[in-house]
Amino acid sequence: MAKLRFKALELVSQRTVTEVSSTSQKISDYYGENVFGLDAMRSTLSSDYFKKLRRAIDAGEKVDRNLADTVAAAMKAWAVDKGATHYTHWFQPLTGATAEKHDSFFDLTSDGKAIESFKASALVQQEPDASSFPSGGIRNTFEARGYTAWDPSSPAFILESGGSKTLCIPTIFVSYTGEALDYKTPLLKSLNLLNEAAVPVCQYFDKDVSRVGVTLGIEQEYFLVDRALYDARPDLAISGRTVFGHSPAKGQQLEDHYFGSIPSRVHAFMVDFETAAHKLGIPLRTRHNEVAPSQFECAPTFEDASLAADHNQLLMDIMDKVAELHGFKVLLHEKPFKGINGSGKHNNWAMSTNTGVNLLSPGKKPKENLQFLTFFINTIQAVYKNADLLRATIASASNDHRLGANEAPPAIMSVFIGQQLTELLDEFERTEKVPMEKGDNMYMKLGIDKIPEILLDNTDRNRTSPFAFTGNKFEFRAVGSSANVSAPMTALNTMMANQLIEFRTKVDQLIDGQGMKKEIAIIQVLREYVVESKNIRFEGNGYSEEWAQEAERRGLSNVKSTPRALDVYHRQDVKDLFTKHGIFTEVELNARHEILLEEYIKKIQIESRVMGDLAMNHVIPTAVAYQNKLINNYKGLKELGLEDDYSDTMLESIKKMSGYISTIQKNVVAMIGQRKVANKIEDSRERAIFYCEEIYSYFDTIRHSVDKLELMVDDEDWPLVKYRELLFLR
């Protein structure tokens, strides 16, 4: 292992910047060129069929057989012209990754002639093996049939890999009996539900509103490490994080990496994957160094939520493939390294109308501000009433390590809205007046004549808040970097839709039952919500112990482990929320709970096994060999009569090493024994809790002893690539 380590370091020292094909083109010249988007549709379809397809995409109209036949022919001609030889239904099973099965356009006629063929039946539906994907008990392993079905709202695209091009058709994935086996199906249902709930509320203010969509901008954080160093760390390669390694002397404490000059190799990688992303219609706009060493971020502009979710899944795949070409490995684990920042996926969520209005943006007139307050306050109320569900949607073994540590928000769900809006809601509560009539812009005067005045936003940013209002959107910061955003967004859309339905019912009762004027009825209900949801609003430091104590007094949950956070899926109010709106059946909800528990268990199993293997087969033999060197050295000094303080120190080191070795051995053996006990527990929840509270209890002890040995063993003998080496990028 030590030889492998130094070979890896040698490879790193020889790395050069990978040359990226330069282009003089503007991004707008090639943006979306590998997407069967509106331009491609318009150029390959007749005017009538193009309009029909647009209605299917925009209004959700059904795609009939004739339209499907025409689109299939146009899509094939476009893809083949681009050099595609295969096609696939691209879907998002409950593994968290994407899935694809490639079929060739190539076919033979009855007389043996080779042709390129792609029919409507192949476009609309395929049949992958559902038994090999997680189903949470919905399907027996011998019941294999499942279906992927074309989603016209998400455009097809061409992926290139290994010199081959494949037409990818975004689809949903359902079982033979109709249950959703993917992340996309419930997301699409929740978006439709929110539209149906929000439009009538919008029509209190504007009768021209006929559609409300959800926009989403997803900031993606990630780590980059050199591929050679990654391959020399079995724990990183197998579990996604380092289970051993004492923190380097220099981590992020100087705060010099954030927004710093991007390393040359990294910059070339960013340019390369951004170009690929832009060709696939992913609207990336931002790149920068993040806070931790070797940590970076990219972010797109806002898109329709379903498309944004698809693009984020596609982006992670592109980043991983392009990284290989640059000698890197992308780490999307939420906490690959202890003691420095973890990585999140900040979801900037808002609602917009077909008339071009952002419903979470304050207006210029009192009426517009009443509409803003309606959706703003209802969002806070929805989060307040469903905080435990929101926490459950971002729960995972990897995200548990991140939440509440090094700039990640805590596990306590709260809403930050800023001082100005807090004062606004307090005033609204007291006076019943519609505040926020927009006047002059607010500026910050710097007292430096040559610097222009800075226009102030109506809120600050709070990095410790899991759900923060940032001017014209809410930013859900607690989502993990490796997560499929569809799960938390499905829950958020559903709880918001349910809240708007309740709001409209109350308002209509006041108008129809009591003869109250519309504006007065709206204000009365909103004031009730402002008072009721006050406990979820928090403006301070989410890391502080004081906040944990205050949150408890307010009745807010602080669930720090995934198995207990997931208990919410068995609560009757959560089941009712999803089932009454047709987002999930109770069977689907129970299945997802089971899948999440099993995934949690398996991840800790893997981590504990790799920890035991590295400790017993790599660390301890190295430590014993080095200890023997010290023993021989100590004996030699004694034989020569050179006993002094140095030899006493050496003897003390030998004793300490024996203690650490013994501790590691005992705890690894005990951990293996406890794993056997855990695996006999039939109930998934109880087994997951056992893994969380019993198996994990050995991790810190073993890690502490290994880290101590790392400090004692000669650097040339140590078998694992070290933290400081992993975090070094040229």
Side-chain angles (χ1 to χ4, degrees):
M1 285 292 287
K3 289 181 180 178
L4 178 62
R5 174 187 166 212
F6 283 105
K7 179 64 176 175
L9 289 170
E10 183 183 349
L11 284 172
V12 173
S13 69
Q14 296 170 357
R15 298 279 195 210
T16 57
V17 178
T18 301
E19 194 170 328
V20 178
S21 299
S22 61
T23 174
S24 58
Q25 289 179 293
K26 302 187 297 292
I27 292 173
S28 57
D29 289 338
Y30 58 84
Y31 181 77
E33 68 176 33
N34 288 336
V35 181
F36 192 68
L38 292 179
D39 289 341
M41 293 175 193
R42 191 180 288 109
S43 65
T44 55
L45 295 169
S46 69
S47 177
D48 286 344
Y49 280 116
F50 175 70
K51 288 175 183 176
K52 283 184 180 181
L53 185 55
R54 281 299 303 269
R55 288 197 296 271
I57 294 169
D58 296 337
E61 289 186 8
K62 189 174 182 179
V63 176
D64 61 32
R65 182 69 184 212
N66 286 337
L67 178 57
D69 274 327
T70 304
V71 172
M75 198 180 284
K76 183 205 75 175
W78 173 82
V80 170
D81 188 56
K82 289 275 187 180
T85 58
H86 290 68
Y87 66 92
T88 182
H89 276 200
W90 184 83
F91 59 103
Q92 301 168 37
L94 296 174
T95 56
T98 57
E100 52 199 63
K101 175 175 73 77
H102 297 195
D103 286 303
S104 174
F105 287 122
F106 165 76
D107 202 355
L108 292 174
T109 62
S110 58
D111 59 357
K113 184 180 178 182
I115 60 169
E116 310 298 329
S117 176
F118 183 61
K119 298 179 180 178
S121 56
L123 167 64
V124 171
Q125 179 179 312
Q126 276 192 339
E127 185 192 321
D129 186 344
S131 67
S132 299
F133 291 105
S135 71
I138 288 176
R139 305 286 285 154
N140 291 309
T141 54
F142 57 82
E143 295 175 310
R145 200 181 294 273
Y147 300 109
T148 53
W150 175 38
D151 171 22
S153 68
S154 191
F157 54 91
I158 291 175
L159 269 184
E160 185 171 3
S161 181
S164 173
K165 293 182 178 181
T166 304
L167 173 68
C168 298
I169 303 159
T171 63
I172 63 170
F173 181 42
V174 296
S175 74
Y176 178 69
T177 46
E179 292 91 0
L181 295 177
D182 67 342
Y183 283 103
K184 189 168 197 178
T185 302
L187 176 63
L188 292 174
K189 289 181 179 180
S190 74
L191 291 168
N192 185 59
L193 173 68
L194 184 52
N195 170 58
E196 292 175 350
V199 166
V201 176
C202 285
Q203 289 184 348
Y204 284 144
F205 309 97
D206 183 356
K207 295 296 183 183
D208 291 334
V209 173
S210 59
R211 184 180 177 277
V212 173
V214 173
T215 59
L216 189 61
I218 306 167
E219 302 168 31
Q220 179 69 60
E221 295 176 336
Y222 60 96
F223 281 86
L224 274 183
V225 296
D226 191 276
R227 185 79 204 203
L229 300 179
Y230 171 84
D231 289 338
R233 281 294 301 225
D235 51 351
L236 200 54
I238 295 170
S239 71
R241 76 181 183 108
T242 53
V243 296
F244 297 134
H246 77 280
S247 296
K250 182 182 182 295
Q252 65 184 52
Q253 62 267 47
L254 292 180
E255 300 168 332
D256 55 347
H257 186 65
Y258 189 53
F259 277 24
S261 176
I262 299 172
S264 299
R265 283 181 64 204
V266 177
H267 185 270
F269 158 72
M270 288 177 168
V271 170
D272 219 357
F273 87 73
E274 284 173 3
T275 301
H278 288 145
K279 288 180 179 180
L280 289 165
I282 303 173
L284 289 180
R285 293 188 65 189
T286 302
R287 62 165 97 112
H288 64 83
N289 291 2
E290 254 301 334
V291 175
S294 300
Q295 188 186 35
F296 305 92
E297 180 181 302
C298 61
T301 193
F302 285 62
E303 299 181 276
D304 174 80
S306 176
L307 186 57
D310 281 1
H311 278 168
N312 184 254
Q313 290 296 113
L314 180 57
L315 177 65
M316 291 190 288
D317 188 40
I318 293 169
M319 290 168 66
D320 194 52
K321 289 177 179 176
V322 174
E324 290 184 22
L325 304 177
H326 291 259
F328 286 129
K329 178 64 181 176
V330 173
L331 304 181
L332 293 170
H333 191 287
E334 283 71 13
K335 197 75 172 177
F337 307 111
K338 188 177 180 181
I340 58 176
N341 276 21
S343 295
K345 194 179 307 226
H346 304 162
N347 285 242
N348 295 280
W349 177 90
M351 294 163 286
S352 62
T353 69
N354 61 295
T355 58
V357 175
N358 178 352
L359 295 171
L360 291 176
S361 182
K364 296 179 180 178
K365 301 174 184 177
K367 183 179 179 180
E368 293 172 355
N369 280 325
L370 183 56
Q371 178 175 270
F372 159 72
L373 285 172
T374 295
F375 286 90
F376 177 68
I377 292 169
N378 271 288
T379 303
I380 296 171
Q381 177 77 342
V383 173
Y384 169 67
K385 290 165 66 176
N386 299 277
D388 291 347
L389 172 58
L390 208 57
R391 165 68 179 96
T393 65
I394 50 93
S396 69
S398 48
N399 210 23
D400 281 356
H401 294 295
R402 166 182 168 258
L403 294 177
N406 298 92
E407 273 204 3
I412 306 166
M413 292 295 106
S414 65
V415 177
F416 170 86
I417 62 173
Q419 181 181 351
Q420 185 180 350
L421 288 171
T422 296
E423 292 172 357
L424 182 153
L425 292 192
D426 290 344
E427 178 70 15
F428 184 44
E429 179 186 342
R430 285 194 304 271
T431 67
E432 299 187 30
K433 292 180 181 178
V434 180
M436 281 190 67
E437 185 164 0
K438 213 166 185 179
D440 294 335
N441 289 326
M442 292 176 61
Y443 290 91
M444 179 189 298
K445 295 187 182 296
L446 298 177
I448 307 173
D449 291 340
K450 60 177 149 186
I451 302 296
E453 293 174 327
I454 295 176
L455 178 63
L456 294 177
D457 290 307
N458 56 21
T459 68
D460 196 355
R461 291 184 182 270
N462 187 324
R463 286 193 168 290
T464 69
S465 175
F467 200 84
F469 186 70
T470 56
N472 59 1
K473 60 190 181 298
F474 280 97
E475 183 180 12
F476 190 21
R477 298 177 57 87
V479 182
S481 55
S482 66
N484 186 317
V485 301
S486 295
M489 292 303 104
T490 296
L492 182 56
N493 295 338
T494 304
M495 64 180 72
M496 184 61 184
N498 187 69
Q499 180 57 43
L500 290 173
I501 291 168
E502 290 183 5
F503 169 76
R504 181 171 171 246
T505 300
K506 281 191 171 187
V507 170
D508 285 352
Q509 285 173 349
L510 292 176
I511 295 171
D512 300 334
Q514 299 183 26
M516 195 176 286
K517 286 186 177 181
K518 180 179 66 178
E519 287 77 9
I520 296 173
I522 289 171
I523 289 171
Q524 181 168 314
V525 176
L526 290 179
R527 287 182 70 245
E528 290 176 15
Y529 291 164
V530 169
V531 174
E532 189 178 337
S533 64
K534 204 177 239 182
N535 281 343
I536 200 74
R537 286 167 25 209
F538 177 63
E539 305 301 305
N541 178 12
Y543 294 150
S544 67
E545 181 57 34
E546 290 78 12
W547 167 231
Q549 295 169 5
E550 172 64 20
E552 187 175 3
R553 285 192 292 272
R554 294 187 187 190
L556 302 179
S557 300
N558 185 9
V559 186
K560 296 183 178 180
S561 72
T562 288
R564 297 192 184 279
L566 296 178
D567 283 346
V568 72
Y569 287 117
H570 279 313
R571 270 185 9 200
Q572 193 59 47
D573 61 319
V574 171
K575 289 183 178 181
D576 290 345
L577 173 68
F578 285 120
T579 57
K580 74 179 178 180
H581 295 303
I583 306 301
F584 294 115
T585 64
E586 193 162 332
V587 169
E588 289 173 323
L589 208 55
N590 290 338
R592 281 161 200 263
H593 184 212
E594 183 73 15
I595 289 167
L596 291 168
L597 287 171
E598 287 295 331
E599 179 186 51
Y600 179 87
I601 292 165
K602 289 170 183 175
K603 284 187 175 180
I604 301 178
Q605 272 183 348
I606 291 168
E607 286 183 4
S608 66
R609 284 172 176 162
V610 74
M611 175 176 270
D613 175 58
L614 288 177
M616 298 294 278
N617 298 320
H618 300 283
V619 171
I620 286 180
T622 300
V624 169
Y626 186 72
Q627 188 183 43
N628 287 335
K629 288 182 182 179
L630 294 181
I631 291 170
N632 291 332
N633 197 0
Y634 178 73
K635 287 179 178 177
L637 290 172
K638 284 194 72 173
E639 289 173 2
L640 293 171
L642 298 176
E643 296 157 289
D644 54 15
D645 291 343
Y646 174 64
S647 61
D648 291 341
T649 302
M650 192 181 298
L651 181 60
E652 186 62 30
S653 295
I654 292 168
K655 291 178 180 178
K656 282 184 178 181
M657 291 183 75
S658 293
Y660 293 137
I661 291 168
S662 176
T663 298
I664 293 169
Q665 287 175 323
K666 288 177 182 176
N667 279 275
V668 169
V669 170
M671 183 173 67
I672 293 170
Q674 288 294 78
R675 265 206 326 262
K676 293 177 180 177
V677 172
N679 293 338
K680 292 178 181 178
I681 301 172
E682 292 187 6
D683 182 77
S684 297
R685 176 184 178 274
E686 294 303 316
R687 189 162 72 254
I689 289 174
F690 190 93
Y691 264 95
C692 176
E693 298 176 0
E694 298 297 328
I695 305 299
Y696 255 146
S697 66
Y698 294 96
F699 278 43
D700 284 342
T701 304
I702 296 170
R703 178 172 188 141
H704 173 77
S705 294
V706 171
D707 290 354
K708 288 293 185 182
L709 286 175
E710 181 179 338
L711 291 168
M712 299 178 75
V713 172
D714 189 289
D715 190 65
E716 291 190 3
D717 293 331
W718 189 249
L720 300 174
V721 167
K722 298 186 176 184
Y723 252 146
R724 65 172 181 265
E725 296 157 355
L726 281 165
L727 296 176
F728 171 70
L729 279 177
R730 293 172 56 242

